[in-house]
Amino acid sequence: MIKLEHVKKSFGHLEVLHDVSLTVEDGNVVVILGPSGSGKTTLLRSINFLERADKGTLSIGDISVDLHAAKKKDVLNVRRKTSMVFQNYNLFANKTALENIVEALVTGHGVPKAQAIERAKLELKKVGLSDKEDYYPSQLSGGQQQRVGIARAVAQDAEVILFDEPTSALDPELVGETLALIKQVAKEGHTMIVVTHEMSFAEEVADKVVFMDGGYVVEEGSPNDIFYHPKEERTKQFLKRILPPSDYII
């Protein structure tokens, strides 16, 4: 189980996370929704120490850390239990698709290189890119780069995979195939936290939906609860703006 408790984060005088708490059960998919600027990505980045929270604790597996005071060893332990899929792929431009995955395994997790290569080849095959092992990111489409990013995340056998708006940088025609791949990853039983604007994906895949606004968790519940029976007025307003009237009941 992953548990975040009382997480706060400010950038200068702007507080972007206000006492946020979140629990994710093993094997579950939690989707975080909300308007731009609601703190979704900052929360995700705080889990992986890409941002250092001002306050709060994280429990993941058998470890618990203070998000503000964590030492280098604590950060490393958390990063070995998490992997992340980024909006803009974050692949090394000077490494091939295969090398991007191998690097994460060897450097981040201490996997022997021969074993890392074998695992990287397996994951590239699973995402349909066996024939692109030796291609550099500049030779791949956006959708292919994101598939490499997903393969890299899955290869690390993390206790939780974090997805930060994984389709936001893609051309519209590539969104569907990327979402289908993420659905397949979910079906394999991976614990996942997904920040996305894709409502139909959230409804189909999520075990729990969390709606954030203004740095607060406004409401959380099952997809049915959030999309068809929201309790909070702010949630209702958000849904009215982004969903056709026939798609929700409030």
Side-chain angles (χ1 to χ4, degrees):
M1 183 173 70
I2 298 103
K3 181 179 287 187
L4 287 162
E5 296 182 284
H6 308 296
V7 181
K8 293 187 177 184
K9 173 64 180 177
S10 295
F11 293 105
H13 297 295
L14 177 63
E15 188 169 7
V16 294
L17 294 175
H18 305 271
D19 198 37
V20 173
S21 296
L22 178 67
T23 298
V24 183
E25 300 292 340
D26 286 345
N28 279 7
V29 178
V30 171
V31 171
I32 305 177
L33 306 175
S36 297
S38 60
K40 310 182 299 296
T41 290
T42 300
L43 180 64
L44 211 63
R45 291 173 64 86
S46 295
I47 294 173
N48 207 28
F49 286 98
L50 296 173
E51 300 288 354
R52 176 76 68 155
D54 301 320
K55 182 180 179 182
T57 60
L58 167 66
S59 298
I60 177 170
D62 57 355
I63 65 172
S64 183
V65 298
D66 184 311
L67 288 172
H68 180 67
K71 302 284 193 291
K72 186 176 181 179
K73 181 179 179 181
D74 298 322
V75 173
L76 180 60
N77 285 337
V78 168
R79 286 181 173 167
R80 284 179 171 170
K81 290 179 177 289
T82 62
S83 58
M84 193 158 184
V85 177
F86 298 87
Q87 294 182 36
N88 294 307
Y89 327 131
N90 279 38
L91 301 179
F92 292 110
N94 63 336
K95 295 184 182 295
T96 65
L98 184 73
E99 290 169 342
N100 265 278
I101 301 173
V102 170
E103 179 73 16
L105 293 174
V106 172
T107 303
H109 296 268
V111 177
K113 188 169 183 180
Q115 183 180 336
I117 291 172
E118 183 179 351
R119 182 61 187 271
K121 287 178 176 288
L122 173 63
E123 295 303 332
L124 284 173
K125 181 178 180 180
K126 286 167 64 177
V127 301
L129 292 176
S130 289
D131 59 337
K132 299 292 191 294
E133 289 180 1
D134 298 325
Y135 282 51
Y136 290 90
S138 62
Q139 298 172 300
L140 300 172
S141 69
Q144 289 170 335
Q145 289 184 65
Q146 193 59 292
R147 278 191 269 166
V148 174
I150 293 169
R152 178 179 60 186
V154 173
Q156 296 174 57
D157 286 328
E159 294 195 20
V160 59
I161 305 176
L162 311 172
F163 292 82
D164 182 17
E165 299 192 30
T167 61
S168 65
L170 298 178
D171 292 335
E173 62 185 15
L174 299 175
V175 169
E177 67 180 42
T178 302
L179 290 176
L181 177 56
I182 298 172
K183 289 175 187 177
Q184 182 57 46
V185 173
K187 289 178 181 177
E188 293 174 359
H190 295 280
T191 304
M192 296 162 46
I193 304 176
V194 186
V195 170
T196 185
H197 293 291
E198 301 292 338
M199 300 297 120
S200 59
F201 169 83
E203 185 175 359
E204 181 180 349
V205 176
D207 296 288
K208 179 164 69 175
V209 175
V210 177
F211 174 63
M212 291 185 65
D213 186 43
Y216 293 94
V217 172
V218 177
E219 188 169 359
E220 60 181 85
S222 70
N224 184 68
D225 291 337
I226 298 301
F227 289 119
Y228 298 100
H229 308 286
K231 296 177 181 178
E232 301 297 327
E233 186 59 34
R234 181 65 187 96
T235 311
K236 295 176 183 178
Q237 293 172 355
F238 178 76
L239 294 174
K240 284 181 179 179
R241 290 173 180 169
I242 63 172
L243 294 178
S246 60
D247 284 0
Y248 62 84
I249 300 172
I250 58 174

